[in-house]
Amino acid sequence: MSSKPHVIILGAGVTGLTSAVFLGEAGYEVTVVAAHVPGDNSIEYTSPWAGADWRAQGTPEQPMVCDWEVQTFDYWVEVMDRERLEPELPKSGVKMYDSYGYWDGPVTEVLWWSPHVPEFRVLSPLQEPLLSLNKSLPANGLIVQNAIAYRAMSLNVPQYLLYLQEKARLLGAEVIKARLPVDSGLQHAIATAEGHAIAKGRKRPDCFVNATGLGAGKLCADEAMYPIRGQTVLVKGEAIAIRTRSSDGYGAYCIPRPGAGQTILGGVKEVGSWSEAVDPATTSKILERCACIAPELLTGDGGGFEVISAQCGLRPARKGGPRVEKQVLSGKRIVHAYGHGGFGYQTSVGSARRVVDLVVESTSSSCESARL
Ligand SMILES: Cc1cc2nc3c(=O)[nH]c(=O)nc-3n(C[C@H](O)[C@H](O)[C@H](O)COP(=O)(O)OP(=O)(O)OC[C@H]3O[C@@H](n4cnc5c(N)ncnc54)[C@H](O)[C@@H]3O)c2cc1C
């Protein structure tokens, strides 16, 4: 049996798996226990449904989120550089693209992150691609009044989750697929997870990480958790750029899926909705709103998109921001890592490093002092 301290992670989304990789690299034995693992699709498992691109969402009032976003950006640059230098490495599915942000009105966010991304610039109305975009819009409708350009990443999300899982396994992690009970509280759930790990020959854990996404709402009776529903449409063709447009009362985005010859279209954010049913009217609106920002993908019959599928995911949002903190519950050390809303990928590295710090603090103190 390994002499390393053992951590059981509940959850195999991007939060749990990135934590598994960083804990493995920090010298911990890791066991992941999750109802859904990479390759599974379920409304209870948000990670496979994301676009996902790096587009900072942290505000100056959330310095921790902003810091995690910058850390993740820099880490992904390193991942891409390593893959270029060592072509035999497993492919992460992370790729840098030209990225454009469009507003039909004033810029509605603080662009604090502009110094951190390459080639950031504000576009004048006479610059491409803004000039052509505005020419293509209906004469009697809204036009784009403000635009920025920069370079940022998009992820092939299914590939990235498998990549993280494989990386964690190569570091010695065991991934166990099992649903944990939620109705009898977190204490019972972690005891059940411990039972699964011991049945697989792992030793008693020194610490748990709770990365159960929206599931944490019930598991921890955390009333601050709520869903932000997103509906997306997967279409044929890899868009040449990432684009986001904020218009009058709605958003639209187009995110290429690296290496898959596909693109995710979306922009829907329905706060508080738990519905997993795809709404055909919403699908039509997404296609209509995205047509002008991704014209190179209009290769279908009648000049429309070639639709592969439409789907929904629930962003695990939390009032007050993500909960990444330690707790001692009946003598068990727990580090919580959930509530990453619509930015779970782009904060994943900073969040995982914080998890490692908290696990180190927890496991190097007695339960009594960790409680403080
Ligand atoms: C449409 C859409 C677009 C998005 N776009 C972006 C983007 O561009 N950039 C970005 O950074 N983020 C984006 N996001 C957000 C991102 O997808 C989420 O923040 C992230 O996936 C959350 O990951 P997680 O690991 O915390 O949760 P999840 O992926 O939901 O994982 C939770 C894990 O916990 C497990 N679990 C839960 N309850 C139990 C239980 N009782 N027993 C056992 N296991 C349990 C689940 O099985 C799963 O393994 C988007 C999300 C959506 C829906």
Side-chain angles (χ1 to χ4, degrees), residues 70-117:
V70 171
Q71 287 193 48
T72 307
F73 190 100
D74 293 346
Y75 181 83
W76 284 343
V77 169
E78 283 169 28
V79 167
M80 288 184 294
D81 285 348
R82 262 200 311 273
E83 284 176 17
R84 248 190 313 273
L85 292 172
E86 298 173 60
E88 70 286 355
L89 285 177
K91 296 285 171 284
S92 59
V94 182
K95 188 177 164 187
M96 190 86 107
Y97 291 84
D98 287 333
S99 302
Y100 300 97
Y102 303 125
W103 290 265
D104 290 357
V107 176
T108 48
E109 59 196 271
V110 180
L111 304 174
W112 60 265
W113 44 272
S114 57
H116 296 286
V117 295

Side-chain angles (χ1 to χ4, degrees), residues 10-16 33-37 44-53 57 178-182 211-215 219 228 230-232 253 255 313-316 337-338 340-347:
L10 317 184
V14 67
T15 308
V33 181
H36 309 94
V37 296
E44 295 173 332
Y45 185 29
T46 307
S47 291
W49 305 120
D53 69 332
Q57 291 186 31
R179 179 175 288 279
L180 303 169
V182 291
T212 51
L214 262 185
L219 206 56
I228 302 179
Q231 183 167 319
T232 58
Y253 63 69
I255 303 177
L314 304 178
R315 300 171 180 92
Y338 64 83
H340 295 70
F343 43 77
Y345 279 88
Q346 64 206 35
T347 55

Side-chain angles (χ1 to χ4, degrees), residues 220-290:
C220 308
D222 186 341
E223 291 180 1
M225 289 296 295
Y226 64 97
I228 302 179
R229 178 181 175 278
Q231 183 167 319
T232 58
V233 185
L234 185 65
V235 297
K236 277 195 191 161
E238 193 170 309
I240 54 172
I242 301 169
R243 290 99 158 194
T244 310
R245 182 179 178 197
S246 304
S247 193
D248 194 15
Y250 70 85
Y253 63 69
C254 126
I255 303 177
R257 186 162 272 185
Q262 299 167 345
T263 296
I264 284 279
L265 309 176
V268 176
K269 286 186 180 168
E270 293 174 358
V271 175
S273 170
W274 291 91
S275 171
E276 66 176 299
V278 169
D279 173 23
T282 304
T283 300
S284 302
K285 277 188 202 153
I286 293 171
L287 296 175
E288 189 189 315
R289 291 166 179 174
C290 290

Side-chain angles (χ1 to χ4, degrees), residues 194 264 330:
E194 182 170 335
I264 284 279
S330 300

